Amino acid sequence: MADFIPVYEPVLGGNEKKYVLDCLDTGWISSLGKYVTDFENKFSAFSGKKFGVSVANGTVALQLALIALDIKKGDEVIIPDLTFVATANAVSYTGAKPVFVDSERETWNMDPSRIEEKITSKTRAIMPVHLFGHPCDMDPIMDIAKDHDLFVIEDAAEAHGAEYKGKKAGSFGHVSCFSFYGNKTITTGEGGMCITSDGDLAKEMSFLKDHGMSSEKRYYHTKIGFNLRLTNIQAAIGLAQLEQIEKFIDIKRKNALFYNSLLKDIEGVSLPPEMPWAKNTYWMYSILLRDREARDRMMSVLKEEKIDSRPFFFPMHQLPMYKLEKPFPVSDDLSARGMNLPSAPSLSKEDVERICGVIKNSQV
Ligand SMILES: *Cc1c(COP(=O)(O)O)cnc(C)c1O
């Protein structure tokens, strides 16, 4: 019997164990410790910003960035309609309203040409999401933000190491947010980080994530802060993962190209985007089928063959708490037809061959 192929799994074959044992041996298991600082410094440098503020997960990274920029009730934040729900929820937690923009057919990301029509006197920020590892078209987004005096907060939770015109995803926004959940390109189990080159903003985020305590006077708190800290043990895993990130991305890109070569001539299968200006890191290798029925049937055929897959996210406007009756034609269409195939860095060439063989023979 062929082995089960998961849609994702972490690969922990580097210094993870060594660094975690160092935490245990030295007693530095909580949120102070050298791995926290080291991971913050090295990850922010890798992603093109000066400062890193580590947090407990990617969702609170988004929330912290918004709060530190004083985004609150009465404000609006523009996000893509097609994203993971955490993007919208993080905006909601602050009391602000997420405003959805339809996707762009070519990149599956927020359509820059549809942003301006959503801007009102209440709009404070644009939060582009680099979906599945393909960067957004950042030039027009940054231009619009500049013209309308808006903040840009990149949700780069799926795009560690991805590039737009040779610059890293996460290097564009006033703040950029990453997730290190177990299935992300690098992981700390649970974890996240806000990165920025604005020293005051980094300070504000560090202050807010640690109970809003004055740096001069212990137990003197000047704002209602939070406890959003990452532990030294998690950062130890993160640092070991970061040492391997180029290798992971390289494997994921090679596997994606191999998938492409085997799937390109199959009727009814569309391949994932990679624009000429983009380096897609293929967090998830994703395809589109003919319609929802074909997608659902393909997922069950793969399941019978012990191959795991995932449907695309539901667009935000289809969820009960964000319900809007008007159509978002592109995100509705992508969401109905899209699926993620196994994409872990542990995926072998033989696995990809087996998966594509099943897809080819399934005639859905
Ligand atoms: C994973 C993810 C998040 C949230 O990250 P967690 O660490 O799971 O909280 C946010 N946005 C997007 C686009 C994601 O994929």
Side-chain angles (χ1 to χ4, degrees), residues 17-193:
K17 199 183 247 177
K18 179 176 156 200
Y19 295 166
V20 167
L21 286 177
D22 183 38
C23 296
L24 296 177
D25 289 342
T26 58
W28 291 97
I29 60 169
S30 198
S31 50
L32 286 177
K34 66 176 182 187
Y35 291 109
V36 174
T37 330
D38 212 16
F39 183 47
E40 289 178 336
N41 291 341
K42 288 183 175 150
F43 186 78
S44 54
F46 170 82
S47 300
K49 293 286 192 202
K50 278 194 196 143
F51 308 104
V53 179
S54 60
V55 290
N57 58 64
T59 308
V60 294
L62 295 167
Q63 189 187 351
L64 180 64
L66 290 158
I67 292 173
L69 293 170
D70 197 31
I71 288 167
K72 52 187 185 298
K73 195 170 161 51
D75 296 337
E76 294 178 356
V77 177
I78 292 176
I79 71 167
D81 185 39
L82 186 62
T83 180
F84 180 57
V85 72
T87 318
N89 287 350
V91 175
S92 300
Y93 299 154
T94 70
K97 180 184 167 199
V99 174
F100 310 130
V101 171
D102 201 4
S103 312
E104 183 182 44
R105 206 165 273 291
E106 295 72 27
T107 64
W108 305 350
N109 284 322
M110 166 192 266
D111 185 342
S113 74
R114 307 299 297 269
I115 292 176
E116 268 181 314
E117 66 198 58
K118 302 281 175 153
I119 294 175
T120 72
S121 58
K122 295 177 178 172
T123 310
R124 297 284 317 283
I126 307 173
M127 199 185 263
V129 179
H130 309 293
L131 200 68
F132 304 138
H134 191 291
C136 296
D137 190 359
M138 289 309 295
D139 282 348
I141 294 174
M142 296 311 292
D143 286 347
I144 293 165
K146 198 161 176 229
D147 288 350
H148 296 270
D149 200 18
L150 305 174
F151 293 116
V152 173
I153 302 165
E154 291 179 72
D155 180 344
E158 304 182 356
H160 319 65
E163 289 176 15
Y164 173 72
K165 299 187 177 173
K167 287 179 67 185
K168 288 270 164 57
S171 68
F172 297 89
H174 297 88
V175 197
S176 302
C177 303
F178 289 84
S179 164
F180 306 116
Y181 180 63
N183 70 2
K184 296 290 160 80
T185 299
I186 62 168
T187 184
T188 60
E190 292 275 4
M193 200 182 296

Side-chain angles (χ1 to χ4, degrees), residues 8 11 43 46-47 133 158-163 168-169 178 184-186 241-257 274 279-283 343-346:
Y8 218 94
V11 171
F43 186 78
F46 170 82
S47 300
E158 304 182 356
H160 319 65
E163 289 176 15
K168 288 270 164 57
F178 289 84
K184 296 290 160 80
T185 299
I186 62 168
Q241 288 272 294
L242 184 59
E243 292 168 354
Q244 305 163 80
I245 193 167
E246 301 292 0
K247 184 182 79 187
F248 292 157
I249 291 172
D250 193 48
I251 295 171
K252 286 161 73 64
R253 284 184 54 80
K254 282 203 177 98
N255 280 336
L257 293 180
E274 182 167 52
K279 178 179 180 183
N280 188 347
T281 48
Y282 301 96
W283 168 56
S343 306
S346 56

